Amino acid sequence: MLLELTKIRVYFAGICSLIVTVGVARFSYSLLLPIMQDGAGLTESGGGWLASTNFMGYMCGVLLAASMHNLNYKYNLHRLYLILSVVTSAAMVMTTDMVTWAVLRFIAGICASGGFIIASGLILKWLVNHNHRAELGIHFSGAGLSIIVTSILIEAMLTMSADWQQQWLALAVMAAIFSIPAWLWMPHPFVGGKAGAGVKDNPPSKAFKSLMMLAYFCAGYGYAVSSTFIVDIVERVEGLQGQGGVAFLLVGVAATPAPLIWDQIARRVGYLKTLLAAYILQAVGIILPAINDSLPVVILSALLFGGTFIACVSLVLTMAGKFYPSNPAKFMGTMTLAYGAAQIIAPVSTGYLVEALGNYDIGLYLSATVVMMGTLFLFGLLNLDNDAIKNTTINIETKRIIG
């Protein structure tokens, strides 16, 4: 009973960590982008650059997490990221200088790695050490919840006619509140459990790693475009002005149960086949607004995107934990470098396309095309490891992942 209560607290700490380091430090910018364009003079290309600097920071955070082997240092670094998520949000109101904003978004991006990589690794290690199923679906439901709570807060502030500066301050206060359980209940890697006793790594082949990184890069491109610009995309549609926040809220509603649902599918058919289905649905969700911008189609697009983007992250990082249970964050970091590289490229290129063409259509077509390229790499993985299964050259854990 006590262990189950502790498990609930651990998961809750992870969800709160994602709300602070991802919801506030990352996703809130998508909601505030059109507000800052109206109130602070931010341009489309400037908005793209700020998004890219945020992703650059995320990449640096991932590199740091991947290169740091001392789990106690990672635990303390996670706590530092909680503090910085609050500080960087509050500091956004102090200036309209693009360089300063870029620095703040860069630091906030570093903080986002705290929820996605460090917290994921600490929670996964705790689950393994306490004989729980090594899955991150519950933890990553926090990403969807982070979208919901930030959307609700910003919509509530808009009803009070709050400007962009008041919005950032409100987000900083919310982040401070959710930081408390994330600080107190995130499991220390050396407290309780078996401390990794009997845990054996099951590394995949180099070919598997290379193809998986290419596939994950493609998913990162699709995620970055839609997550950054979806609010602005909706706000530009005639008759849908003022509905961008609602669309983003729908993304969160779909994303919250999605990791749990996809976990169940992966248990039955394998992780790679499940990822393949998620990629295809994500591409459909991305391209729909370019084909038809009616309200029902926009709603369907938001639900498809929300229901798949976080599932791709959850499934890949769960795979990383199954391959390297002794130190999950190591392979998580390696995979996320590919995902993060795409996130740096995508917002800038899309921002320039929008400025040049006046709409998001070509950017969305390009994004969906890149995601569909990812499905080709996943097919390559399936063919690669089906051959390996026949030749019995891969370990049993990899066979379970393939399905």
Side-chain angles (χ1 to χ4, degrees), residues 343-383:
Q343 294 177 58
I344 293 173
I345 299 168
V348 172
S349 59
T350 305
Y352 279 119
L353 283 171
V354 173
E355 280 200 350
L357 302 173
N359 60 64
Y360 282 95
D361 290 356
I362 299 300
L364 292 175
Y365 280 117
L366 176 60
S367 178
T369 299
V370 172
V371 174
M372 287 307 296
M373 287 173 59
T375 66
L376 299 179
F377 294 122
L378 290 176
F379 273 118
L381 279 170
L382 284 169
N383 292 331

Side-chain angles (χ1 to χ4, degrees), residues 33-364:
L33 179 58
I35 299 172
M36 292 178 71
Q37 287 173 334
D38 290 339
L42 185 64
T43 64
E44 283 83 0
S45 59
W49 271 110
L50 287 182
S52 287
T53 57
N54 184 261
F55 290 130
M56 289 177 193
Y58 182 61
M59 281 279 283
C60 288
V62 171
L63 280 169
L64 180 60
S67 62
M68 186 179 292
H69 303 296
N70 188 307
L71 294 177
N72 187 55
Y73 289 167
K74 288 184 179 181
Y75 176 80
N76 290 322
L77 191 61
H78 174 261
R79 287 186 159 187
L80 175 63
Y81 288 164
L82 294 174
I83 296 171
L84 289 177
S85 294
V86 177
V87 172
T88 53
S89 298
M92 287 291 289
V93 309
M94 299 174 63
T95 182
T96 56
D97 178 64
M98 274 292 295
V99 175
T100 306
W101 274 349
V103 171
L104 291 171
R105 298 309 300 154
F106 181 85
I107 297 171
I110 295 175
C111 296
S113 69
F116 268 130
I117 303 300
I118 299 178
S120 300
L122 292 172
I123 290 170
L124 199 57
K125 190 168 184 62
W126 186 89
L127 291 171
V128 170
N129 288 348
H130 290 83
N131 298 314
H132 294 293
R133 189 184 292 272
E135 292 177 345
L136 290 170
I138 295 176
H139 172 63
F140 279 110
S141 68
L145 284 170
S146 75
I147 294 174
I148 292 173
V149 296
T150 52
S151 297
I152 291 173
L153 175 64
I154 288 174
E155 286 298 315
M157 294 293 290
L158 284 174
T159 62
M160 295 184 283
S161 301
D163 60 22
W164 65 272
Q165 292 170 308
Q166 293 168 321
Q167 294 275 17
W168 277 114
L169 287 175
L171 286 164
V173 171
M174 185 182 77
I177 293 170
F178 280 104
S179 291
I180 296 171
W183 179 288
L184 295 176
W185 292 338
M186 183 60 61
H188 193 283
F190 302 126
V191 175
K194 300 179 293 181
V199 173
K200 183 180 179 181
D201 289 340
N202 308 284
S205 67
K206 290 182 179 180
F208 186 100
K209 290 180 184 179
S210 298
L211 284 173
M212 192 68 244
M213 287 182 71
L214 288 169
Y216 206 37
F217 174 92
C218 296
Y221 193 101
Y223 155 75
V225 171
S226 291
S227 66
T228 300
F229 297 110
I230 188 170
V231 176
D232 196 39
I233 290 170
V234 174
E235 293 291 343
R236 286 167 173 260
V237 176
E238 189 69 32
L240 296 183
Q241 288 86 356
Q243 302 301 312
V246 177
F248 205 66
L249 177 63
L250 289 174
V251 171
V253 169
T256 300
L260 298 171
I261 295 170
W262 288 101
D263 270 353
Q264 294 295 322
I265 298 172
R267 288 183 199 177
R268 290 170 171 78
V269 303
Y271 283 81
L272 290 180
K273 292 175 184 175
T274 305
L275 269 174
L276 186 59
Y279 271 50
I280 293 171
L281 289 175
Q282 183 177 352
V284 173
I286 290 169
I287 206 171
L288 278 177
I291 298 173
N292 187 316
D293 58 11
S294 64
L295 181 59
V297 173
V298 169
I299 291 173
L300 179 59
S301 171
L303 293 175
L304 282 175
F305 175 68
T308 54
F309 86 89
I310 197 61
C312 294
V313 175
S314 177
L315 291 168
V316 170
L317 296 190
T318 297
M319 286 169 61
K322 289 180 179 295
F323 285 132
Y324 294 96
S326 67
N327 187 9
K330 180 180 179 180
F331 191 50
M332 285 179 178
T334 302
M335 293 305 303
T336 306
L337 288 177
Y339 198 78
Q343 294 177 58
I344 293 173
I345 299 168
V348 172
S349 59
T350 305
Y352 279 119
L353 283 171
V354 173
E355 280 200 350
L357 302 173
N359 60 64
Y360 282 95
D361 290 356
I362 299 300
L364 292 175

